Amino acid sequence: MNIAVYLTSPHQFRGCCLSDYPFTFGDHHANQVATAYQNMCDILINRGVYRFTYLYFGAEFCEYLIPSQQDLEQYMEICRVNDLWPVFVTPVVTDRGLDRLQECFDHLDASGILYAVVVNDLGVLQMLCSRPRVPELIVGRILDKTSHDCRISENEMGSYYSASGMRYASEPGVLSDHSIGILAPLGISRYEFDLPKTGLDLKHSSSGLSLYWPFHYLTTGRVCMFRALGKIGKEKFLVGQASCAGSCKTLELELHKPINGYSFEHGVRKNNQYLFQKGNTIFYLYENPNITEQIKQFDRIVLQLL
């Protein structure tokens, strides 16, 4: 197994080891982010895995966060100096975003360094396959349509899903024979996932498999609360503007609501449901009690800094 650190800014880079990063979100421990990070780090260290092999950079959910050429140069220099493999993460895009990405790929190709691209948009995949130099291609987690609903509790799971329903819900459609038949000839080498509450059954896959941790995305969209800051009336909901102030780069939003009474999740009393918003995307945590067994299915863990 190897590990990657996923940065949204080159200024977040602190080193090549797990211990170099303060894996937290917000300013307190009640949201369980630090605990989720630590649990995974303990599992990895017990396996003798503590140094990152890959540096993920870019954006999955917003074309306004596609890195500038200056940022790309800094990421590539970090990889050169620290012997890390670069992985460029790309978002769902409009035509404007496609043009931006075309410039990014030209710049990365000119660097002479081999790199991989995480694709979350089929238009981006088509564009990459038509380029003279096709990088290593990875299917991103947005193209996996497994349920990401975090509201259902452990106790409700059995009544919501039948046994056959649980099996169906835990088998990603992106790994179906039909999907593989379309994607494999395009050179896809790896598939990446969140961990839904149903768990994942990936035992039939022969491809490389990655798990993002600890933030799993719940929902995303083009309308963005952070981009709406300072806008008036209907301007808050318009999409397709030429630029964005990028308020999400400096703001963290934690959402939580008290559970009616309380519930027990995997034997632990749970008083609040926490969600975490970064830009146009809302994330949740899920501490799967079988995480040690679940990660045996993966050969790469991507530790994400929001």
Side-chain angles (χ1 to χ4, degrees):
M1 176 182 288
N2 54 64
I3 56 175
V5 61
Y6 179 13
L7 309 181
T8 57
S9 165
H11 302 297
Q12 290 178 312
F13 183 75
R14 296 189 175 210
C16 299
C17 296
L18 290 171
S19 58
D20 293 328
Y21 292 87
F23 290 119
T24 60
F25 188 98
D27 58 1
H28 61 88
H29 292 279
N31 60 25
Q32 297 298 302
V33 172
T35 301
Y37 273 124
Q38 191 59 54
N39 288 346
M40 179 61 76
C41 289
D42 289 344
I43 292 171
L44 293 170
I45 291 170
N46 287 337
R47 293 180 172 212
V49 181
Y50 57 88
R51 190 187 192 280
F52 296 111
T53 305
Y54 296 88
L55 175 66
Y56 278 52
F57 57 89
E60 297 168 276
F61 303 100
C62 179
E63 65 180 22
Y64 294 107
L65 296 177
I66 293 172
S68 65
Q69 289 194 7
Q70 181 181 2
D71 283 348
L72 288 177
E73 289 172 1
Q74 291 185 53
Y75 284 126
M76 299 308 273
E77 183 61 21
I78 289 171
C79 291
R80 284 192 194 97
V81 171
N82 296 279
D83 193 25
L84 296 168
W85 285 88
V87 180
F88 181 28
V89 183
T90 60
V92 178
V93 295
T94 62
D95 288 347
R96 179 183 294 110
L98 274 177
D99 292 339
R100 285 281 313 281
L101 288 177
Q102 190 83 265
E103 295 171 359
C104 289
F105 297 138
D106 289 341
H107 197 73
L108 291 172
D109 286 349
S111 73
I113 297 179
L114 296 177
Y115 64 96
V117 177
V118 176
V119 176
N120 287 293
D121 185 301
L122 295 178
V124 175
L125 177 60
Q126 183 180 32
M127 180 181 72
L128 284 165
C129 290
S130 67
R131 289 179 60 82
R133 177 186 174 187
V134 181
E136 178 187 349
L137 299 176
I138 301 170
V139 166
R141 55 179 166 171
I142 295 178
L143 290 180
D144 166 44
K145 303 306 178 183
T146 306
S147 172
H148 287 74
D149 193 338
C150 66
R151 293 171 297 178
I152 189 168
S153 71
E154 176 189 12
N155 296 330
E156 296 168 329
M157 192 78 73
S159 59
Y160 186 79
Y161 290 103
S162 63
S164 59
M166 280 289 287
R167 286 194 300 272
Y168 182 80
S170 62
E171 296 176 351
V174 75
L175 292 181
S176 68
D177 291 341
H178 184 70
S179 178
I180 294 292
I182 295 172
L183 295 171
L186 299 177
I188 299 298
S189 64
R190 173 171 295 276
Y191 296 82
E192 303 199 320
F193 299 94
D194 283 324
L195 185 61
K197 281 205 164 184
T198 56
L200 289 172
D201 181 0
L202 310 174
K203 60 179 176 290
H204 300 300
S205 175
S206 59
S207 303
L209 301 170
S210 305
L211 173 68
Y212 284 77
W213 191 266
F215 298 102
H216 314 303
Y217 90 92
L218 175 61
T219 187
T220 187
R222 294 183 67 193
V223 174
C224 176
M225 184 180 74
F226 289 88
R227 194 168 73 245
L229 292 174
K231 305 289 186 181
I232 298 174
K234 66 180 182 180
E235 290 184 359
K236 293 178 179 289
F237 305 98
L238 296 178
V239 297
Q241 295 97 327
S243 62
C244 174
S247 302
C248 63
K249 295 178 181 179
T250 56
L251 294 175
E252 295 178 338
L253 178 61
E254 177 186 285
L255 306 160
H256 78 275
K257 69 171 185 177
I259 295 174
N260 187 20
Y262 59 87
S263 68
F264 280 90
E265 194 84 32
H266 316 308
V268 178
R269 177 167 169 159
K270 186 175 181 180
N271 297 303
N272 295 283
Q273 174 68 58
Y274 285 90
L275 298 174
F276 309 90
Q277 184 166 349
K278 195 69 172 179
N280 63 345
T281 305
I282 296 176
F283 299 86
Y284 67 95
L285 294 180
Y286 176 44
E287 275 289 358
N288 189 304
N290 299 315
I291 183 60
T292 302
E293 290 300 314
Q294 283 284 312
I295 67 171
K296 289 179 180 178
Q297 303 180 98
F298 299 94
D299 59 3
R300 182 180 302 171
I301 304 297
V302 182
L303 289 168
Q304 179 181 7
L305 296 174
L306 289 185

